[in-house]
Amino acid sequence: MCLTGRGRQAHPCAFTRSCSDESEGLTPQEHKLLQLLATGLTDEAVARTLGIGVRTERRMTAELMERLGASSRFEAGVQAARRQWI
């Protein structure tokens, strides 16, 4: 667990960027999301594997695509591989 603010709020590290490996700039959950997407799984299968809702998975995917400057999931995979994120 990681603490934010003045220690009043605790949450799993997988959901915080501050707990991520700074060399990659990804949280562990974002890294796993990219790995699952790279295998060709559907949004529903990725969400189920991560234990999150489909809307959350799609939001996270869209945010990663924006960070990567990608306009498609395929392009996001290419950019993530170039950055050695996957």
Side-chain angles (χ1 to χ4, degrees):
M1 298 294 277
C2 296
L3 299 177
T4 60
R6 296 186 179 165
R8 296 182 193 154
Q9 184 179 27
H11 53 273
C13 286
F15 295 101
T16 63
R17 198 165 315 289
S18 62
C19 298
S20 68
D21 178 2
E22 291 300 320
S23 66
E24 292 183 354
L26 297 174
T27 65
Q29 189 175 41
E30 289 171 330
H31 189 258
K32 183 67 175 174
L33 173 68
L34 282 173
Q35 289 177 324
L36 292 169
L37 290 173
T39 66
L41 292 178
T42 64
D43 290 339
E44 292 79 10
V46 171
R48 191 171 39 253
T49 301
L50 293 175
I52 60 176
V54 175
R55 287 182 62 187
T56 301
E57 182 275 338
R58 288 181 178 152
R59 178 188 49 79
M60 291 175 62
T61 299
E63 288 172 358
L64 284 170
M65 287 174 58
E66 185 175 333
R67 284 172 58 191
L68 290 163
S71 58
S72 70
R73 286 170 56 147
F74 179 81
E75 186 180 0
V78 171
Q79 293 299 328
R82 285 184 181 158
R83 295 179 189 201
Q84 299 180 341
W85 286 6
I86 55 173

